[in-house]
Amino acid sequence: TPTASVYLAYSERLGRTVALKVLDDAAEPACTERTLAGARLQARLAHPNIVQVLEAEQRDGRTYVAMEPVRGVDLHVRLERGILLADLVNVIGDVARALDHVHAHDIVHRDVTPSNILVRDEGGALLTDFWLAT
């Protein structure tokens, strides 16, 4: 699993606020390539339950992925804090709709885990991190 930090940033090139994922400097080249390939796959998918990738690049030895910012936490955190069954059912439905869209494009995510599902503060869930996708 690639180690990364995510920051809220302003992209002058895009003229908007983004969530900027920066891969750890120590990432193996194969991990960097998988991350960029996954970001390219994710960028091709336009769906309300998939985090939108806006840009992905490698510059000065660092790997960056700019995505839509999501106000919320991942499902792992929500589960630790406690979640109502009805809210969990809604999350599962959102993820199922995202996966249906992904599979319709002949892509397999291969890493659907609570940490790769973001739950918005205002409700709704989004699938992210396609680094293992094929």
Side-chain angles (χ1 to χ4, degrees):
T1 302
T3 305
S5 299
V6 180
Y7 306 95
L8 191 60
Y10 183 79
S11 170
E12 290 182 357
R13 182 171 25 203
L14 297 175
R16 64 175 284 179
T17 301
V18 299
L20 186 64
K21 184 177 199 171
V22 182
L23 210 60
D24 183 34
D25 281 343
E28 295 291 323
C31 184
T32 298
E33 286 306 313
R34 283 195 311 266
T35 298
L36 289 171
R40 286 190 291 271
L41 281 176
Q42 191 171 340
R44 291 186 358 221
L45 301 168
H47 190 274
N49 298 113
I50 297 173
V51 174
Q52 181 184 18
V53 169
L54 307 167
E55 207 170 352
E57 67 178 313
Q58 195 170 23
R59 185 187 306 169
D60 301 324
R62 306 288 305 259
T63 302
Y64 303 92
V65 179
M67 301 170 285
E68 72 172 294
V70 176
R71 293 181 57 82
V73 296
D74 66 45
L75 182 57
H76 179 80
V77 172
R78 280 296 301 271
L79 291 169
E80 285 182 339
R81 291 179 184 168
I83 186 170
L84 296 173
L85 181 58
D87 291 338
L88 185 57
V89 168
N90 289 333
V91 166
I92 292 168
D94 287 347
V95 172
R97 283 184 284 284
L99 289 171
D100 183 58
H101 184 75
V102 168
H103 296 162
H105 286 82
D106 295 322
I107 298 170
V108 178
H109 188 282
R110 295 179 51 207
D111 194 25
V112 180
T113 62
S115 61
N116 290 336
I117 299 167
L118 302 180
V119 181
R120 292 184 189 272
D121 287 344
E122 66 274 10
L126 297 96
L127 185 61
T128 194
D129 284 343
F130 283 64
W131 78 283
L132 286 179
T134 56

